Amino acid sequence: MELIIGMILLLPALTTAGLGLGWLVGLRISERTIARLTGGCYSLTTGLVIVLGGWMASNRLDTVRLLIGSWFEVHTYRFPL
Amino acid sequence: MSRAVNTQSESPNALREQLEKVIGHAAHLLPTQGPIGVFIHHNTLHAFQHLPFEEAVIEAARKFGAEPFLPEARYQYEVRRGRIRIADIEAVLNGEADEPIWPRTLSRRELRRALIWPGLRPFSPDNIEWQIEEEGVLERLRDDLAPTVTEAIRGGSAEEESQLAHNLFSACCRRLAKKVKPQSLPPVRPAEGLKRLTGIDLDQIIHPLLIRLAAVYLDQGQSYWPMPRSAEGFYDTVRSLYGRDGIHRLLPEERYLRGLTAEFRSQSLPRLTSIDAIISILSRLGITESEWESVIEAELLALPGWAGLFHQLELDPGLAPHAPWQSTLVDFLAVRLTLTLIACDNIRQVSGQNGSAGIEWRQPAKEEQATNAEHLARVVRLYDAVQLLGLSAGQINSLSESEFQRLTTEIDLFDDFERRRILHLAYERRHEFDILAPLKTFRESINPDREQSEIGPKAQIFFCIDEREESIRRAIEEQEPGVETFGAAGFFGVAVNYRGLDDPEGVSLCPVVIKPQHAVIELPVRSDERMQEKRQQRRRLLASLLQTSFIGSRTLFRGWVGTIGFGLLSLFPLLGRTLAPRQIGRLYRWLEDRFLPTPSTELTIMRAEESGEELTDQLLTGFSINEKADRVAAVLRPVGLIRDFSRLVVILGHGSTCLNNPHESAYHCGACGGRRGGPNARLFAAMANNPLVRTRLAEMGIHIPDETRFLGGDHDTASDNITFFDEDAIPTSHLDDLRFVHRVLDAARAANALERSRRFESAWANKTPESALLHVQERAEHLAEPRPECGHATNAVAIVGRRALTRGLFLDRRSFLISYDPTTDEDGRSLAALLGAAGPVCAGINLEYYFSYVDNERYGSGTKLPHNVTSLLGVMNGQSSDLRTGLPWQMVEIHEPVRLLLIVENTPDKVLKAGFQSPLVRELIENRWIRVVTIDPDSGAFHVYRNGQFEPFTTRLEALTTVTSSPEWFLGKLDHLPIVRVAGRPGR
């Protein structure tokens, strides 16, 4: 499930970053491509949210944690991300 | 510097009258856009309509800081891709006055021809040094010069190109003296002066508060905490608000607005009226009576959207959709000037200015030498121009002082606006040719007289003149040649104040130039009255629930509970509206049908009396028989439909349904005052079906057979759905005809959807009409769709004439089609009526699109993305901005900004006589806000109106491109397409 959470978080960000970088280097991305990319990303993310929600409901979980590291660590104290 | 204030020299009443006159005059410059729920297309530059078009757009550009035409680079791009041809530019230049610059060697026309193409390069003082360094401007000659021009510059010399360029630039440097800059204009209003003196933007200080106050005062139901309004208007309301205890907690005074409360309280002690308050403030700001006009004009234009809305609601309080609060421009100005006065005072104190006779905001104008960069840019511009003219360094050096002066003066006169004006005229000239040449070729190949058929038409269908209906009419005729289509202004001659079943009050369904005299109400039929009562109860319940949840979500406790408890529920409609919009739309309609059943209805169209005794709100209730017959005849006679009726005649009004779109009403019917035209179609059909009306029509020479039935309906231009009214009243004898019409229209609307889809870049996999229809239906229901349809973005032409002139031609949804038969209009009365009603509507749409396109930020409302609905009256950018008037970019982005080409089938004399009967149409024609062409009904000769007279349009006739069907021509193409003939042209 951690992979799913990661994808839910990262897919929109990657899509935005990809489109933004494309524009930055002067690509003229057609409206059709943008619509396909954003539509696909939105649908996929929504689907993953539904899968995640279903999995949480079936396992009677009210939270799911995804640890991607620590913001900082000092000896035994750390601030997890 | 202080100035004498002579407001003491005149009586108070005279001053008030003078000020009201000044404000009234300044108001003409404000946008005439009313509340956004009823978007009425109009000429954005209506205040300049008394001037010729080209002069008006340039004057308005200077007044508003806007663009009059497209950028020069855009026109140059159009030349490169062949949309403008060099011959067009030369033809335009040849039509302009010419005079010698240097006798026998250079004329103004030759100079302009040389400079306009390939065009002067833009050089700005801001980056001139960078351009010289990076682009090597001075190291070589332009690389787009013709060989003959390069040779002329060389003048027989064998020098290297870099040396030639160096010599030429040196000659320009030597000859062009450094110029004294023109005096900077003195500041017109305090905000301008203070910005120059202190760098502080006064507008940034007062606008946030002024916008908040104006928005909440005019609010039509969006705010959950209404403003305590005074019956005496905006100024009194704001003054009373600041007179309340504890106002500081609600409206804390900003740093530069300290003293505002005290000022408003001091104004309330002698209980100043708004007009007296303005006189007093102008005096305290040191503004003399002679300056009133310029200052007030500039103050109002600093926030034109809001000022314009106050003015529009003052002119017609009925425009307010729900609450007609008293709204006057004088009140708005009084509040604005009070804020200005306080801000001026604070800025003066902060910046350490002194002075008691008035707040100083002026500074003397001074002459300055041009900076080095400005001079360098001017020299490089000259260097660029002389290259295009083919002048050598030797020639520049040998010019006498007067010759050189004449040259530079002429180059300066041919400035950016002037070059763009010429290019724009060439752009329109090519458009004119591309329309008229194929039309003329086609006209030569047909006999436009309506052919008589033994079996008669299978059906006749009336559409609005709207250019969006051109494609569906063509689709019908392509698929079923036995069906005739007509175009009439979408209110179908029935100007009414109409109140629908659920409407709280009536609205005008007619062009804005017409004031309805009759009221019509939609009522449930007697057997469904109980159902209507139930429907009303449930609507009230639903409205109360929605209102409670809307307000509750904005309060501390209920908002928190609502978000925690029900917030998640809002996810489902959001997902549905974006992932499966069509299906969710169907579900909503199904639920609505279950919860809010719609009763069968009838219209109160009958009135026994000819007199005006039955009045409701100064409107006659319903129509008498004679009035109905007059209205039916007013539509049927001009189109020439006085005999040969089919068994079923369909009248289709139109409107547009789209979700989450504040500009939805801008897609509705312009001829119905920005509303749906379905009720007009239904009314017309009911009138034409009345036997007594038919008897009266027969006396007028219009014989409608007993077996002919009229049926009203509504075409949704976004979803391409078609709804009929009163289908149950169609007799069983006509059910086959009805089924036939259903079949034809179902096929045509799918074909229409396919044609529309070619313009939507995001539409894919729409290879069939059926899939295209599903796609456009989805767009109409999509929560996140900024372009549910293209609206009028393709408009460019209006054709007033018989359908035979255009039937079988692919006009690419670019032409308003107004059916008119000149052979039944000897005296030109029908034409005068058509031009008087349809002319301003079509021109208004066309000009609004023109200006919203050429300067979308100033004349249009910019991109839709930051738009935020405010007060249910308009849109702002984000949470605080001026009201954005005009059309958003997403509505106009595929538009081609050309003036409407009005093509009328009649002789030039008759067209001018008919058009000039309406002062508005006369102004549009004489001042060239529309372009006019006539087609002689007998000879087919074309004449174009130029310079106050008609000239013959002659061209070598070339064969028209022919295709077998419309999709063969348009599929896979995004741009505007030329006119072609669609083969197998059906004749009847």
Side-chain angles (χ1 to χ4, degrees):
Chain A
M1 280 303 127
E2 287 194 351
L3 179 66
I4 288 183
I5 300 172
M7 285 177 74
I8 290 168
L9 292 173
L10 285 178
L11 265 174
L14 287 175
T15 309
T16 310
L19 289 171
L21 279 173
W23 284 315
L24 202 63
V25 298
L27 284 181
R28 292 177 65 87
I29 308 166
S30 74
E31 190 190 324
R32 181 175 301 196
T33 310
I34 296 170
R36 281 183 179 184
L37 279 173
T38 51
C41 170
Y42 182 68
S43 305
L44 190 57
T45 313
T46 308
L48 291 174
V49 168
I50 292 166
V51 170
L52 182 68
W55 180 78
M56 287 170 68
S58 63
N59 289 286
R60 296 177 180 277
L61 293 174
D62 55 0
T63 53
V64 182
R65 298 187 72 184
L66 169 67
L67 293 173
I68 54 173
S70 298
W71 186 20
F72 64 87
E73 270 185 75
V74 181
H75 296 295
T76 55
Y77 181 77
R78 68 194 189 103
F79 193 99
L81 284 174
Chain B
M1 186 179 71
S2 64
R3 295 193 178 193
V5 180
N6 63 351
T7 49
Q8 303 301 318
S9 59
E10 291 184 47
S11 73
N13 279 342
L15 276 178
R16 286 184 197 118
E17 277 176 26
Q18 173 63 14
L19 183 60
E20 279 168 1
K21 220 162 95 182
V22 166
I23 295 171
H25 191 256
H28 282 116
L29 295 171
L30 296 172
T32 53
Q33 183 174 312
I36 200 168
V38 189
F39 200 102
I40 297 161
H41 293 287
H42 64 286
N43 180 4
T44 311
L45 297 189
H46 64 96
F48 297 83
Q49 211 164 271
H50 60 286
L51 296 173
F53 173 79
E54 300 147 51
E55 199 180 318
V57 293
I58 289 175
E59 189 170 326
R62 295 196 167 116
K63 172 82 72 185
F64 299 137
E67 298 295 338
F69 306 108
L70 292 172
E72 193 172 358
R74 168 68 187 276
Y75 289 117
Q76 287 170 346
Y77 165 74
E78 299 294 350
V79 178
R80 283 197 295 278
R81 76 181 188 110
R83 169 61 181 76
I84 301 174
R85 297 188 190 170
I86 300 300
D88 299 318
I89 298 173
E90 282 172 351
V92 172
L93 287 171
N94 290 341
E96 303 262 317
D98 192 18
E99 63 176 88
I101 298 172
W102 305 328
R104 291 188 299 281
T105 48
L106 183 65
S107 69
R108 174 179 290 168
R109 190 174 290 158
E110 287 164 345
L111 176 134
R112 292 185 166 206
R113 169 65 191 83
L115 298 192
I116 206 157
W117 180 256
L120 290 165
R121 294 173 290 184
F123 294 108
S124 158
D126 299 333
N127 61 352
I128 184 65
E129 287 179 14
W130 185 89
Q131 279 184 292
I132 289 173
E133 284 289 321
E134 295 295 319
E135 295 175 10
V137 175
L138 306 184
E139 289 162 20
R140 55 184 176 273
L141 298 176
R142 292 174 59 125
D143 54 13
D144 52 5
L145 297 176
T148 50
V149 176
T150 313
E151 276 310 306
I153 295 171
R154 192 173 286 282
S157 146
E159 285 172 326
E160 290 286 317
E161 189 182 329
S162 59
Q163 189 58 43
L164 280 175
H166 175 77
N167 292 345
L168 198 57
F169 179 69
S170 302
C172 293
C173 277
R174 264 196 304 279
R175 296 303 306 262
L176 199 65
K178 209 166 187 180
K179 199 174 168 184
V180 173
K181 275 205 291 196
Q183 280 194 357
S184 57
L185 293 171
V188 177
R189 63 190 181 103
E192 281 178 31
L194 286 174
K195 193 165 184 185
R196 287 190 205 173
L197 285 170
T198 64
I200 299 170
D201 189 342
L202 186 143
D203 287 343
Q204 295 279 357
I205 297 165
I206 68 166
H207 281 177
L209 179 59
L210 183 60
I211 290 166
R212 271 172 76 195
L213 292 169
V216 76
Y217 176 78
L218 293 178
D219 179 47
Q220 298 292 303
Q222 195 172 12
S223 63
Y224 66 93
W225 188 1
M227 186 183 212
R229 295 177 182 85
S230 151
E232 289 179 40
F234 181 55
Y235 170 68
D236 199 54
T237 296
V238 175
R239 197 171 56 181
S240 307
L241 196 68
Y242 275 91
R244 289 172 176 238
D245 293 333
I247 188 65
H248 288 100
R249 285 195 295 279
L250 285 174
L251 289 170
E253 289 180 347
E254 305 287 341
R255 181 185 176 201
Y256 288 108
L257 288 174
R258 279 185 197 134
L260 186 62
T261 309
E263 175 60 33
F264 271 124
R265 285 178 180 174
S266 76
Q267 287 180 18
S268 65
L269 287 177
R271 201 146 186 85
L272 289 177
T273 61
S274 47
I275 202 93
D276 289 335
I278 294 172
I279 292 171
S280 159
I281 295 165
L282 289 172
S283 167
R284 289 161 69 187
L285 285 167
I287 294 163
T288 62
E289 208 179 314
S290 63
E291 295 172 313
W292 279 4
E293 188 164 336
S294 57
V295 172
I296 287 171
E297 191 180 292
E299 287 291 343
L300 292 176
L301 287 178
L303 209 56
W306 283 107
L309 185 64
F310 268 84
H311 186 52
Q312 289 306 305
L313 292 173
E314 177 179 6
L315 294 177
D316 186 358
L319 285 174
H322 301 299
W325 311 117
Q326 188 188 322
S327 143
T328 66
L329 192 57
V330 175
D331 273 4
F332 177 79
L333 187 62
V335 175
R336 181 180 176 89
L337 288 177
T338 304
L339 299 181
T340 302
L341 177 77
I342 296 304
C344 277
D345 201 24
N346 280 289
I347 292 171
R348 181 179 63 82
Q349 286 175 22
V350 170
S351 61
Q353 278 195 42
N354 293 314
S356 55
I359 294 163
E360 191 50 70
W361 51 271
R362 294 181 175 85
Q363 58 182 358
K366 53 185 177 195
E367 285 189 347
E368 285 173 6
Q369 281 283 333
T371 63
N372 285 340
E374 285 167 338
H375 180 64
L376 182 58
R378 198 160 163 261
V379 174
V380 176
R381 276 196 290 267
L382 176 65
Y383 162 74
D384 203 38
V386 296
Q387 286 184 64
L388 291 171
L389 286 165
L391 296 176
S392 65
Q395 283 174 296
I396 299 289
N397 286 327
S398 64
L399 290 174
S400 70
E401 190 54 36
S402 68
E403 285 173 330
F404 185 75
Q405 281 301 329
R406 287 222 60 184
L407 175 69
T408 52
T409 306
E410 282 293 333
I411 291 173
D412 288 345
L413 278 177
F414 198 42
D415 61 7
D416 174 56
F417 277 5
E418 192 60 7
R419 294 195 301 272
R420 287 155 71 188
R421 182 181 72 79
I422 299 292
L423 287 165
H424 183 78
L425 292 179
Y427 183 69
E428 288 188 334
R429 193 176 183 282
R430 177 52 39 190
H431 170 258
E432 180 186 296
F433 183 85
D434 286 345
I435 298 296
L436 296 187
L439 271 186
K440 190 166 171 58
T441 306
F442 188 68
R443 173 64 182 80
E444 297 287 320
S445 70
I446 57 157
N447 172 14
D449 292 329
R450 196 160 169 250
E451 297 161 20
Q452 297 294 315
S453 161
E454 283 179 16
I455 53 167
K458 288 184 181 173
Q460 287 161 327
I461 307 177
F462 276 80
F463 287 89
C464 179
I465 60 176
D466 198 302
E467 84 287 356
R468 287 171 292 178
E469 304 288 33
E470 185 270 327
S471 52
I472 194 168
R473 288 180 64 181
R474 176 162 31 85
I476 291 170
E477 291 160 357
E478 261 183 76
Q479 293 172 24
E480 190 49 72
V483 176
E484 276 188 328
T485 67
F486 300 92
F491 72 114
F492 299 110
V494 190
V496 286
N497 181 286
Y498 177 80
R499 179 149 70 87
L501 191 64
D502 298 321
D503 299 338
E505 55 198 31
V507 292
S508 299
L509 294 184
C510 55
V512 281
V513 289
I514 299 174
K515 282 279 166 206
Q517 306 292 317
H518 299 81
V520 170
I521 301 169
E522 184 186 23
L523 295 171
V525 296
R526 191 173 293 275
S527 58
D528 282 357
E529 280 175 355
R530 284 275 310 151
M531 187 194 288
Q532 172 64 1
E533 278 172 28
K534 194 186 282 183
R535 177 182 167 86
Q536 294 290 39
Q537 282 170 2
R538 289 182 176 180
R539 274 176 57 85
R540 274 193 289 273
L541 177 69
L542 188 63
S544 145
L545 270 172
L546 289 173
Q547 176 77 353
T548 307
S549 68
F550 174 78
I551 292 174
S553 68
R554 282 151 180 79
T555 57
L556 184 64
F557 181 69
R558 279 186 291 162
W560 177 73
V561 171
T563 307
I564 299 292
F566 308 106
L568 192 65
L569 294 180
S570 64
L571 180 68
F572 299 105
L574 178 72
L575 291 178
R577 289 288 193 191
T578 46
L579 292 176
R582 205 163 41 80
Q583 288 80 358
I584 208 81
R586 223 162 43 198
L587 173 67
Y588 273 106
R589 278 190 297 279
W590 181 82
L591 287 172
E592 193 176 313
D593 286 345
R594 295 293 166 283
F595 183 69
L596 293 172
T598 309
S600 297
T601 62
E602 59 190 358
L603 304 173
T604 59
I605 59 167
M606 198 55 173
R607 196 179 84 247
E609 304 296 325
E610 290 293 328
S611 66
E613 285 174 10
E614 293 179 44
L615 289 169
T616 55
D617 298 331
Q618 302 307 307
L619 293 165
L620 294 160
T621 305
F623 293 81
S624 69
I625 294 298
N626 281 341
E627 287 167 344
K628 287 178 192 166
D630 287 344
R631 274 144 189 85
V632 175
V635 171
L636 298 183
R637 193 186 297 283
V639 307
L641 188 59
I642 54 177
R643 57 176 189 276
D644 298 334
F645 287 87
S646 59
R647 282 168 55 81
L648 192 61
V649 181
V650 178
I651 314 291
L652 284 178
H654 71 97
S656 176
T657 307
C658 40
L659 203 67
N660 195 24
N661 187 355
H663 288 85
E664 185 188 35
S665 72
Y667 296 101
H668 287 334
C669 180
C672 295
R675 296 185 170 93
R676 298 192 82 100
N680 298 70
R682 186 183 184 192
L683 271 166
F684 182 92
M687 289 177 175
N689 281 332
N690 187 311
L692 294 173
V693 172
R694 291 191 181 186
T695 307
R696 178 77 191 96
L697 284 169
E699 291 164 13
M700 296 160 79
I702 300 173
H703 300 277
I704 304 176
D706 289 344
E707 69 264 24
T708 292
R709 298 292 303 176
F710 285 76
L711 178 66
D714 180 276
H715 174 213
D716 192 312
T717 51
S719 66
D720 266 319
N721 288 335
I722 292 176
T723 315
F724 290 116
F725 305 109
D726 305 320
E727 265 186 298
D728 48 357
I730 295 288
T732 50
S733 58
H734 285 63
L735 289 182
D736 281 345
D737 302 286
L738 184 61
R739 277 191 281 271
F740 170 73
V741 163
H742 269 289
R743 200 175 63 245
V744 168
L745 284 175
D746 281 346
R749 66 196 181 95
N752 192 45
L754 183 66
E755 185 167 339
R756 288 175 52 210
S757 293
R758 84 172 182 89
R759 295 282 196 169
F760 302 136
E761 275 199 50
S762 58
W764 62 86
N766 293 315
K767 300 285 190 286
T768 64
E770 292 72 25
S771 64
L773 186 60
L774 294 179
H775 176 78
V776 296
Q777 288 171 344
E778 186 174 293
R779 289 183 92 90
E781 302 272 8
H782 203 297
L783 188 68
E785 179 52 70
R787 303 170 189 86
E789 60 160 298
C790 291
H792 294 285
T794 46
N795 88 83
V797 183
I799 301 175
V800 185
R802 286 170 286 185
R803 178 59 172 154
L805 296 179
T806 51
R807 187 167 167 151
L809 285 182
F810 178 88
L811 295 175
D812 200 18
R813 295 166 60 86
R814 304 200 66 190
S815 181
F816 295 94
L817 291 176
I818 302 146
S819 294
Y820 165 66
D821 188 346
T823 62
T824 60
D825 185 34
E826 275 302 308
D827 56 6
R829 277 166 57 182
S830 294
L831 182 59
L834 283 179
L835 293 180
V841 171
C842 298
I845 292 169
N846 173 266
L847 291 167
E848 177 125 51
Y849 271 78
Y850 175 94
F851 291 111
S852 289
Y853 188 89
V854 297
D855 192 340
N856 192 243
E857 278 305 319
R858 184 61 189 83
Y859 292 140
S861 55
T863 175
K864 272 181 176 184
L865 300 184
H867 282 182
N868 186 19
V869 175
T870 183
S871 312
L872 303 181
L873 288 169
V875 290
M876 298 192 298
N877 273 359
Q879 54 89 29
S880 179
S881 83
D882 191 16
L883 274 189
R884 302 305 309 267
T885 54
L887 301 170
W889 180 245
Q890 285 79 1
M891 277 185 80
V892 301
E893 61 196 332
I894 65 164
H895 185 58
E896 191 177 56
V898 291
R899 282 171 286 171
L900 187 77
L901 187 66
L902 177 67
I903 303 169
V904 187
E905 190 188 12
N906 216 322
T907 59
D909 290 346
K910 281 190 176 173
V911 171
L912 279 194
K913 192 177 160 204
F916 284 4
Q917 284 183 34
S918 155
L920 185 54
V921 176
R922 182 179 191 138
E923 194 172 63
L924 291 169
I925 295 174
E926 286 191 326
N927 290 334
R928 306 191 295 276
W929 292 86
I930 54 178
R931 300 170 289 161
V932 182
V933 177
T934 61
I935 305 175
D936 191 293
D938 299 320
S939 68
F942 281 47
H943 287 85
V944 184
Y945 189 75
R946 295 190 214 281
N947 306 318
Q949 58 186 3
F950 278 98
E951 297 170 2
F953 173 80
T954 49
T955 180
R956 194 162 56 87
L957 295 183
E958 289 180 8
L960 262 175
T961 305
T962 303
V963 293
T964 54
S965 70
S966 295
E968 181 193 330
W969 183 234
F970 67 70
L971 271 181
K973 295 170 185 162
L974 270 172
D975 286 341
H976 299 299
L977 294 175
I979 294 177
V980 293
R981 185 201 293 255
V982 181
R985 181 182 159 261
R988 196 215 116 236

